[in-house]
Amino acid sequence: MFHDLTPMRHSLPRIAATGGAALAMLTTLAGCGNQDDKSMVFPPACPITHIPSEAADYYLYANNSTNFRDLIARASITKLQGDCLAAGPKDLKTRIVLRISVERGPASTASTLSLPWFVAVLHGDKIVNKHVFHHTLTFPPNLSNFQTDTKVVSVDLPIVPKNIDSDYRFEIGFQLDKDQLDYNKVHLKRANYQAY
């Protein structure tokens, strides 16, 4: 549920996708803030970011099967990278990019795949915004395993201009249907992603 939040700019977070895949241009979230005079007045603290293990892998099967011969694709979030900076006197801008490892399965017949993933913004224990993105990729010829980076996602948060920890946090992962989520819970293994 992603609504136009323009009229409520200073009360709710805003999420947007910008630019192309740009993992290399972002620093890790530990190095938040920029170094100009404004950031010294309002040094932003990055929100805690969490990738639930059950949402870190995406399995797509054909024929309502979970046999390996029916595997279309498997994807895993392997790295999360981003940065934070002041976007105004009361706004914190966080940019996020995911690196995803993709394996093409024996049942794959299409040359492209769309991977749905989400950013949920929580304030305390309440989800105040969530947006689902679709990372569309083309399988490289003669490769069954490869890595791909998502577009840069920008999240603007209304933050009190003080050097304190934010009450906001992010949950990030693949948007799964019930069967995919149940499969991940049964076959859960330790997530292999890197975060800040």
Side-chain angles (χ1 to χ4, degrees):
M1 300 184 311
F2 186 70
H3 306 285
D4 180 12
L5 302 176
T6 306
M8 306 172 69
R9 183 174 188 272
H10 293 291
S11 61
L12 290 175
R14 293 175 288 135
I15 303 175
T18 59
L23 188 67
M25 70 175 263
L26 299 179
T27 60
T28 59
L29 287 174
C32 297
N34 61 20
Q35 302 302 317
D36 61 17
D37 291 337
K38 289 182 181 177
S39 72
M40 297 305 289
V41 176
F42 173 39
C46 287
I48 294 171
T49 304
H50 178 245
I51 302 174
S53 291
E54 61 270 17
D57 291 306
Y58 181 88
Y59 289 88
L60 184 62
Y61 286 95
N63 306 319
N64 293 321
S65 167
T66 55
N67 293 323
F68 177 73
R69 69 175 180 271
D70 294 314
L71 178 67
I72 297 171
R74 175 185 179 267
S76 297
I77 297 171
T78 58
K79 191 171 188 178
L80 177 142
Q81 199 164 337
D83 61 10
C84 298
L85 58 139
K90 295 183 180 179
D91 288 319
L92 173 69
K93 180 183 288 293
T94 304
R95 297 183 304 169
I96 299 168
V97 172
L98 296 182
R99 175 159 289 164
I100 301 171
S101 176
V102 181
E103 176 184 350
R104 189 174 191 174
S108 175
T109 56
S111 61
T112 61
L113 176 68
S114 181
L115 296 172
W117 65 284
F118 68 87
V119 175
V121 181
L122 286 80
H123 190 256
D125 292 328
K126 182 180 178 184
I127 296 176
V128 294
N129 203 346
K130 179 181 177 183
H131 189 69
V132 177
F133 301 92
H134 293 272
H135 179 62
T136 302
L137 57 93
T138 300
F139 289 108
N142 304 321
L143 278 181
S144 60
N145 294 289
F146 62 99
Q147 293 193 345
T148 179
D149 296 339
T150 65
K151 291 182 178 179
V152 177
V153 170
S154 176
V155 182
D156 292 343
L157 300 172
I159 301 289
V160 176
K162 294 180 180 176
N163 189 13
I164 58 173
D165 288 337
S166 169
D167 291 334
Y168 289 100
R169 71 181 195 276
F170 299 144
E171 296 279 336
I172 296 173
F174 287 113
Q175 183 67 36
L176 307 173
D177 63 29
K178 183 181 183 305
D179 290 339
Q180 289 172 315
L181 185 59
D182 290 344
Y183 180 87
N184 281 2
K185 287 178 179 177
V186 171
H187 298 87
L188 190 63
K189 58 184 179 181
R190 185 176 177 85
N192 190 29
Y193 64 84
Q194 298 173 12
Y196 62 94

